[in-house]
Amino acid sequence: MRLNGVLTAGLVLLPGLLGFTGATAAAASNPPASPTPSPTATQPSSTATPAPSAGEDNDPPNEATVAERSATVMASTNFQLPFPCGQTWVGNSSGSSAHRAYEIDFNRGSTAEADRGDPVVAAAAGTVVISSHQGSANGFGNLVKIDHGGGWTTFYAHLTVRSVSAGARVTQGQQIGTVGRTSKPGNNISSHLHYEVRQGEGYPGNIRKAVFNGATFGYPIQTLTSKNKCGGGGGGATNPHTAQSVCGSGYKVVDSAALGTAGTVYLLYSAGSGKNCVATIKKTSLGKATATSAYLEVQGKSRVTDSGNFAYFAGPVQASAPGKCVKWGGKAGSDVYNSPFEHCG
């Protein structure tokens, strides 16, 4: 099948600092029984707060300034888990020797590297005051710091990619980067998101207990499911993958079919390689492994299928079909599409 015209088609930090080797343990899923403070509640600093290592700057200067907002504005902000809606992550505050107070390292995959490239989103709205690689200054690597007003800030470290710039305003649930393992030269860490909440100045005494969806994190380890932007809209409700990004450079959409509200299956073609590609992109249950598939069948040849429980997409399924017709289709949830033999050429 050759491209005879393109149809218009509608259409992811896991960090600790120096000593982290990846969040490990299974977590207690129950929230703490004691009353949970609001994000603006006064919280005692950790009693064990060793001084930073010599030559390290773990309180890096801001790269942008913001107009200070009152604490009453901040009191209405509801911090959420820094991951898209529906994703389940294990947080661990005790798995890194570099932690000095209430920092948390997040992982969710069967291995630490399985999380690399997963989306990281803003825990609350605010202004980005740092977006840079910290180089040799500390172990943060690619760092995004957001000022939420009232003296409250959040840190997202070890990112593979930073998606926002210093000075930018971000909304709750907006993607700000992806999970990674960047750090200082020679610091070989596993992929994870290192997350911190701070209030005011004076590291490490300004590190505060994290609060998600109104409940204090169950230190030292807890498993949590994100409620970030679960009402729709924002970065938390958007699939970070597209059919083009799944199939690769040079592919253009030729046809598509809706799979109810669960997703869309796409047929693409690359003039450079002469190949077709099929990918199914989910729209619901993002970040949750659900039944998803994509297939491509060249006339006279066996069907090639990618099928399983996937978090964001199925595919890519690719094949060359010069002078042939193709069948293509896929599934998301309970919705299925099967084409006839078509797009011949």
Side-chain angles (χ1 to χ4, degrees), residues 3 6 9 32 37 46 48 66 74 106 126 140 157 161 188-189 197 208 251 277 280 285 341:
L3 178 61
V6 178
S46 172
V66 295
M74 186 55 211
F106 283 104
F140 286 132
V161 173
N188 186 24
I189 62 173
V197 179
R208 299 291 182 256
Y251 280 93
C277 180
T280 297
S285 299
F341 277 115

mmCIF file of all heavy atoms in Angstrom, residues 3 6 9 32 37 46 48 66 74 106 126 140 157 161 188-189 197 208 251 277 280 285 341:
data_model
loop_
_atom_site.group_PDB
_atom_site.id
_atom_site.type_symbol
_atom_site.label_atom_id
_atom_site.label_comp_id
_atom_site.label_asym_id
_atom_site.label_seq_id
_atom_site.Cartn_x
_atom_site.Cartn_y
_atom_site.Cartn_z
ATOM 1 N N LEU A 3 1.003 5.660 -0.101
ATOM 2 C CA LEU A 3 0.251 6.818 0.357
ATOM 3 C C LEU A 3 -0.322 7.557 -0.828
ATOM 4 O O LEU A 3 0.411 8.077 -1.668
ATOM 5 C CB LEU A 3 1.177 7.748 1.157
ATOM 6 C CG LEU A 3 0.544 9.031 1.668
ATOM 7 C CD1 LEU A 3 -0.606 8.693 2.608
ATOM 8 C CD2 LEU A 3 1.579 9.886 2.387
ATOM 9 N N VAL A 6 -3.336 11.995 2.355
ATOM 10 C CA VAL A 6 -3.436 11.899 3.805
ATOM 11 C C VAL A 6 -4.773 12.422 4.258
ATOM 12 O O VAL A 6 -5.150 13.537 3.946
ATOM 13 C CB VAL A 6 -2.307 12.711 4.477
ATOM 14 C CG1 VAL A 6 -2.452 12.643 5.981
ATOM 15 C CG2 VAL A 6 -0.946 12.173 4.031
ATOM 16 N N ALA A 9 -7.014 13.514 10.443
ATOM 17 C CA ALA A 9 -7.381 12.609 11.538
ATOM 18 C C ALA A 9 -7.301 13.335 12.850
ATOM 19 O O ALA A 9 -6.403 14.109 13.075
ATOM 20 C CB ALA A 9 -6.451 11.410 11.571
ATOM 21 N N PRO A 32 -2.148 7.450 57.241
ATOM 22 C CA PRO A 32 -1.932 7.514 58.676
ATOM 23 C C PRO A 32 -3.214 7.821 59.408
ATOM 24 O O PRO A 32 -4.080 8.539 58.923
ATOM 25 C CB PRO A 32 -0.907 8.655 58.819
ATOM 26 C CG PRO A 32 -1.061 9.460 57.578
ATOM 27 C CD PRO A 32 -1.449 8.474 56.504
ATOM 28 N N PRO A 37 -2.567 17.318 58.287
ATOM 29 C CA PRO A 37 -2.527 18.772 58.168
ATOM 30 C C PRO A 37 -2.807 19.215 56.756
ATOM 31 O O PRO A 37 -2.594 18.478 55.804
ATOM 32 C CB PRO A 37 -1.083 19.097 58.569
ATOM 33 C CG PRO A 37 -0.313 17.865 58.184
ATOM 34 C CD PRO A 37 -1.258 16.723 58.428
ATOM 35 N N SER A 46 12.545 17.814 60.482
ATOM 36 C CA SER A 46 13.084 16.548 60.950
ATOM 37 C C SER A 46 14.075 16.774 62.080
ATOM 38 O O SER A 46 14.820 17.737 62.091
ATOM 39 C CB SER A 46 13.778 15.835 59.784
ATOM 40 O OG SER A 46 14.467 14.711 60.250
ATOM 41 N N ALA A 48 16.479 14.727 62.627
ATOM 42 C CA ALA A 48 17.779 14.273 62.137
ATOM 43 C C ALA A 48 18.083 14.987 60.835
ATOM 44 O O ALA A 48 17.644 14.572 59.773
ATOM 45 C CB ALA A 48 17.772 12.759 61.928
ATOM 46 N N VAL A 66 8.968 35.574 41.385
ATOM 47 C CA VAL A 66 7.511 35.674 41.284
ATOM 48 C C VAL A 66 7.014 36.640 42.334
ATOM 49 O O VAL A 66 7.660 36.855 43.366
ATOM 50 C CB VAL A 66 6.831 34.302 41.503
ATOM 51 C CG1 VAL A 66 7.201 33.338 40.397
ATOM 52 C CG2 VAL A 66 7.194 33.718 42.851
ATOM 53 N N MET A 74 -2.495 30.241 49.294
ATOM 54 C CA MET A 74 -1.894 28.918 49.288
ATOM 55 C C MET A 74 -2.739 27.915 50.066
ATOM 56 O O MET A 74 -2.775 26.736 49.735
ATOM 57 C CB MET A 74 -0.499 29.000 49.909
ATOM 58 C CG MET A 74 0.283 27.695 49.813
ATOM 59 S SD MET A 74 0.414 27.107 48.123
ATOM 60 C CE MET A 74 0.470 25.353 48.407
ATOM 61 N N PHE A 106 10.036 8.138 44.230
ATOM 62 C CA PHE A 106 8.890 7.418 43.672
ATOM 63 C C PHE A 106 9.318 6.465 42.557
ATOM 64 O O PHE A 106 10.086 6.828 41.667
ATOM 65 C CB PHE A 106 7.866 8.401 43.111
ATOM 66 C CG PHE A 106 7.020 9.081 44.144
ATOM 67 C CD1 PHE A 106 7.268 10.400 44.500
ATOM 68 C CD2 PHE A 106 5.970 8.407 44.760
ATOM 69 C CE1 PHE A 106 6.472 11.040 45.450
ATOM 70 C CE2 PHE A 106 5.174 9.034 45.707
ATOM 71 C CZ PHE A 106 5.428 10.356 46.056
ATOM 72 N N GLY A 126 1.478 26.949 39.951
ATOM 73 C CA GLY A 126 2.498 27.862 40.447
ATOM 74 C C GLY A 126 3.368 28.386 39.333
ATOM 75 O O GLY A 126 3.026 28.294 38.153
ATOM 76 N N PHE A 140 20.879 16.739 42.154
ATOM 77 C CA PHE A 140 19.527 16.849 41.613
ATOM 78 C C PHE A 140 19.441 16.540 40.119
ATOM 79 O O PHE A 140 18.382 16.189 39.615
ATOM 80 C CB PHE A 140 18.964 18.251 41.844
ATOM 81 C CG PHE A 140 18.561 18.525 43.262
ATOM 82 C CD1 PHE A 140 18.958 19.699 43.906
ATOM 83 C CD2 PHE A 140 17.770 17.639 43.962
ATOM 84 C CE1 PHE A 140 18.582 19.961 45.204
ATOM 85 C CE2 PHE A 140 17.383 17.890 45.272
ATOM 86 C CZ PHE A 140 17.796 19.058 45.894
ATOM 87 N N ALA A 157 13.243 16.197 40.862
ATOM 88 C CA ALA A 157 14.650 16.036 40.472
ATOM 89 C C ALA A 157 14.911 14.751 39.707
ATOM 90 O O ALA A 157 14.118 13.819 39.720
ATOM 91 C CB ALA A 157 15.535 16.092 41.720
ATOM 92 N N VAL A 161 13.823 14.602 30.968
ATOM 93 C CA VAL A 161 13.464 15.756 30.148
ATOM 94 C C VAL A 161 12.745 16.775 31.018
ATOM 95 O O VAL A 161 11.911 16.415 31.847
ATOM 96 C CB VAL A 161 12.551 15.337 28.971
ATOM 97 C CG1 VAL A 161 12.032 16.553 28.216
ATOM 98 C CG2 VAL A 161 13.291 14.405 28.028
ATOM 99 N N ASN A 188 26.029 7.297 39.756
ATOM 100 C CA ASN A 188 25.260 6.319 38.992
ATOM 101 C C ASN A 188 24.036 5.879 39.790
ATOM 102 O O ASN A 188 24.106 4.982 40.630
ATOM 103 C CB ASN A 188 26.138 5.115 38.659
ATOM 104 C CG ASN A 188 25.440 4.136 37.737
ATOM 105 O OD1 ASN A 188 24.522 4.505 37.004
ATOM 106 N ND2 ASN A 188 25.865 2.888 37.768
ATOM 107 N N ILE A 189 22.902 6.514 39.547
ATOM 108 C CA ILE A 189 21.674 6.210 40.275
ATOM 109 C C ILE A 189 20.682 5.503 39.364
ATOM 110 O O ILE A 189 20.828 5.499 38.147
ATOM 111 C CB ILE A 189 21.033 7.487 40.856
ATOM 112 C CG1 ILE A 189 20.634 8.451 39.731
ATOM 113 C CG2 ILE A 189 21.967 8.165 41.842
ATOM 114 C CD1 ILE A 189 19.841 9.661 40.215
ATOM 115 N N VAL A 197 8.756 18.852 49.264
ATOM 116 C CA VAL A 197 7.967 20.045 49.569
ATOM 117 C C VAL A 197 8.775 20.865 50.565
ATOM 118 O O VAL A 197 9.242 20.335 51.578
ATOM 119 C CB VAL A 197 6.599 19.688 50.186
ATOM 120 C CG1 VAL A 197 5.808 20.962 50.518
ATOM 121 C CG2 VAL A 197 5.799 18.815 49.240
ATOM 122 N N ARG A 208 9.286 19.948 54.339
ATOM 123 C CA ARG A 208 8.048 19.635 55.049
ATOM 124 C C ARG A 208 7.499 18.270 54.618
ATOM 125 O O ARG A 208 7.823 17.757 53.552
ATOM 126 C CB ARG A 208 6.988 20.716 54.767
ATOM 127 C CG ARG A 208 7.391 22.105 55.230
ATOM 128 C CD ARG A 208 7.414 22.170 56.746
ATOM 129 N NE ARG A 208 7.742 23.502 57.209
ATOM 130 C CZ ARG A 208 8.921 23.858 57.690
ATOM 131 N NH1 ARG A 208 9.904 22.975 57.744
ATOM 132 N NH2 ARG A 208 9.133 25.096 58.107
ATOM 133 N N TYR A 251 6.598 8.977 9.531
ATOM 134 C CA TYR A 251 5.270 8.401 9.324
ATOM 135 C C TYR A 251 4.190 9.480 9.373
ATOM 136 O O TYR A 251 4.242 10.389 10.220
ATOM 137 C CB TYR A 251 4.966 7.339 10.377
ATOM 138 C CG TYR A 251 5.591 6.000 10.082
ATOM 139 C CD1 TYR A 251 6.835 5.674 10.595
ATOM 140 C CD2 TYR A 251 4.932 5.080 9.262
ATOM 141 C CE1 TYR A 251 7.411 4.439 10.316
ATOM 142 C CE2 TYR A 251 5.503 3.851 8.981
ATOM 143 C CZ TYR A 251 6.748 3.533 9.497
ATOM 144 O OH TYR A 251 7.311 2.318 9.214
ATOM 145 N N CYS A 277 2.281 1.427 9.218
ATOM 146 C CA CYS A 277 2.388 1.243 10.665
ATOM 147 C C CYS A 277 1.010 1.416 11.281
ATOM 148 O O CYS A 277 0.232 2.273 10.846
ATOM 149 C CB CYS A 277 3.359 2.256 11.273
ATOM 150 S SG CYS A 277 3.549 2.118 13.072
ATOM 151 N N THR A 280 -2.440 1.897 18.326
ATOM 152 C CA THR A 280 -3.661 2.231 19.055
ATOM 153 C C THR A 280 -3.281 3.109 20.229
ATOM 154 O O THR A 280 -2.469 2.721 21.076
ATOM 155 C CB THR A 280 -4.367 0.963 19.565
ATOM 156 O OG1 THR A 280 -4.764 0.163 18.442
ATOM 157 C CG2 THR A 280 -5.593 1.319 20.395
ATOM 158 N N SER A 285 -8.266 5.479 31.054
ATOM 159 C CA SER A 285 -7.436 4.567 31.860
ATOM 160 C C SER A 285 -5.957 4.780 31.580
ATOM 161 O O SER A 285 -5.175 3.823 31.532
ATOM 162 C CB SER A 285 -7.820 3.108 31.594
ATOM 163 O OG SER A 285 -9.164 2.852 31.934
ATOM 164 N N PHE A 341 -10.028 -5.175 3.560
ATOM 165 C CA PHE A 341 -8.818 -4.915 2.789
ATOM 166 C C PHE A 341 -9.020 -3.609 2.021
ATOM 167 O O PHE A 341 -9.998 -3.440 1.297
ATOM 168 C CB PHE A 341 -8.533 -6.076 1.827
ATOM 169 C CG PHE A 341 -7.816 -7.219 2.451
ATOM 170 C CD1 PHE A 341 -8.415 -8.466 2.579
ATOM 171 C CD2 PHE A 341 -6.511 -7.056 2.933
ATOM 172 C CE1 PHE A 341 -7.744 -9.535 3.162
ATOM 173 C CE2 PHE A 341 -5.820 -8.121 3.524
ATOM 174 C CZ PHE A 341 -6.450 -9.362 3.645
#
